[in-house]
Amino acid sequence: MMLKDLTYGIVGLGIMGGSFAKSIRQNILSQSDSTGKILGCNRSTSSITMALSEGVIDKGFPSTDVDQMLPDCDVVFICLYPHATLDFLKDHKDKFKSGAIITDISGVKGIFEKSLPQLLRSDTDFVIGHPMAGGEKEGYAASNAKFFVNHNYILIPQDFNKPENLETMRTLISAMGFSRITETSCQNHDYKIGFTSQLCHVIASALVASADDEEITAFGGGSFEDLTRIAMINAPLWTELFISNKDLLCNHIENFQKQLDLMKNFIQSENSEELKNMLDDVRTKRIKMGSICTKK
């Protein structure tokens, strides 16, 4: 069956679940001969009402009725916090459609690798995934299909995944606008995301917390704003992400602290030569990192 004829289930119509629904609607089910549908489940009925009124989903289900939705879904996006995703798989294991492709959006993956074999039926397939896109705000009202355009999607194939289901996910991801699909292991994902995402949120949050004058931003010229945009943080979610990846994240924090201390010492001792050399090296390294980041 083609993508335009599948039934998609979205569990959690927040900013990410809403964005998936909007992207699938605009990019995949907009063809005149499409027979596909989007079903949405959410704890808050206001998000369901909004998605229905916008024509984004075809039918909505309160979270208490999700077992009525799952048997009809060919592809299910579980857009919940990491541990809630595992709990959902456990609690609704017997309700998924036979042959269904199930996937997640979680920012940590090690916990999935350990738990999935016990949580899946042999006639369903769970493809571990992480869309590297989104926004700072929360809720369906903040969702946007454009979040995904020209962004990166991480897939983590497992030995139990069926090749045809992995290929379906690759095709679906590309159709939604993602320009790059990176395939890796759970360990490598958590190590690299610990640096490029979680550490950045730690630094941004610590920078805001260190300010003893809330009016100091009246003298801002853009640097503070750029550095701390991600400090407008979803506290429950990021607390779970930080602690779930604590070993790798704490190693990144310690390495960052070493570099911060080194720079502090150069400044404090007025060692302009070493400070200049360090900043030159940083500039060269950042340019190289940027070129790697933009490779397709």
Side-chain angles (χ1 to χ4, degrees):
M1 192 177 292
M2 301 179 69
L3 292 180
K4 65 183 179 63
D5 299 319
L6 299 178
T7 295
Y8 300 87
I10 312 293
V11 179
L13 283 171
I15 183 172
M16 292 303 295
S19 297
F20 275 115
K22 290 178 180 179
S23 181
I24 292 169
R25 175 66 65 195
Q26 292 178 21
N27 297 309
I28 298 167
L29 303 187
S30 59
Q31 301 176 45
S32 59
D33 61 342
S34 170
T35 62
K37 295 181 180 179
I38 302 176
L39 310 180
C41 165
N42 199 66
R43 183 173 54 186
S44 166
T45 55
S46 61
S47 296
I48 295 174
T49 301
M50 194 180 305
L52 285 169
S53 67
E54 295 176 350
V56 173
I57 63 173
D58 295 285
K59 189 173 181 180
F61 298 79
S63 56
T64 52
D65 295 339
V66 68
D67 286 347
Q68 298 177 28
M69 181 185 90
L70 293 176
D72 293 328
C73 299
D74 300 299
V75 179
V76 180
F77 285 90
I78 304 179
C79 302
L80 304 175
Y81 292 3
H83 288 93
T85 297
L86 293 175
D87 290 340
F88 186 90
L89 290 171
K90 179 181 178 181
D91 294 340
H92 304 281
K93 177 178 180 178
D94 296 330
K95 300 301 179 181
F96 291 99
K97 181 178 182 178
S98 181
I101 301 173
I102 311 161
T103 190
D104 73 307
I105 64 166
S106 301
V108 289
K109 298 305 182 188
I111 60 173
F112 286 85
E113 192 170 45
K114 297 172 185 175
S115 304
L116 280 177
Q118 292 76 43
L119 297 177
L120 297 177
R121 298 197 328 249
S122 60
D123 63 335
T124 62
D125 205 359
F126 192 100
V127 180
I128 303 175
H130 186 190
M132 300 305 296
E136 299 80 44
K137 297 181 180 180
E138 302 170 35
Y140 176 83
S143 62
N144 193 328
K146 293 181 180 178
F147 283 152
F148 301 153
V149 177
N150 294 326
H151 278 262
N152 185 22
Y153 205 108
I154 300 173
L155 283 181
I156 305 176
Q158 300 295 295
D159 291 341
F160 57 75
N161 286 141
K162 298 177 178 63
E164 61 269 26
N165 290 339
L166 288 171
E167 191 55 36
T168 295
M169 281 300 299
R170 294 184 190 106
T171 305
L172 175 57
I173 290 164
S174 297
M176 285 191 289
F178 289 93
S179 60
R180 185 158 49 109
I181 300 174
T182 301
E183 300 190 12
T184 187
S185 66
C186 288
Q187 172 73 13
N188 194 45
H189 170 278
D190 287 357
Y191 170 76
K192 292 191 175 181
I193 292 300
F195 181 86
T196 61
S197 179
Q198 293 167 6
L199 177 62
C200 295
H201 282 77
V202 167
I203 294 169
S205 300
L207 178 57
V208 171
S210 73
D212 55 10
D213 174 9
E214 291 184 4
E215 296 182 0
I216 198 169
T217 52
F219 288 76
S223 297
F224 176 84
E225 292 77 8
D226 290 344
L227 278 169
T228 59
R229 173 185 59 80
I230 56 174
M232 294 181 285
I233 202 165
N234 178 335
L237 171 60
W238 285 93
T239 296
E240 183 173 335
L241 293 174
F242 290 164
I243 293 175
S244 296
N245 200 30
K246 65 178 183 179
D247 292 338
L248 292 171
L249 177 57
C250 285
N251 284 338
H252 288 311
I253 292 172
E254 289 170 6
N255 289 334
F256 174 75
Q257 287 175 321
K258 290 177 183 177
Q259 295 302 314
L260 197 61
D261 286 340
L262 184 60
M263 188 172 291
K264 176 185 173 183
N265 290 335
F266 289 155
I267 295 169
Q268 201 165 43
S269 64
E270 299 183 14
N271 191 336
S272 59
E273 188 62 28
E274 289 298 334
L275 179 59
K276 177 181 149 327
N277 289 339
M278 182 179 186
L279 295 176
D280 281 340
D281 289 344
V282 166
R283 175 182 171 81
T284 301
K285 188 173 185 178
R286 179 60 183 86
I287 291 171
K288 185 181 295 184
M289 287 171 139
S291 66
I292 293 172
C293 180
T294 55
K295 282 182 180 178
K296 297 292 187 290

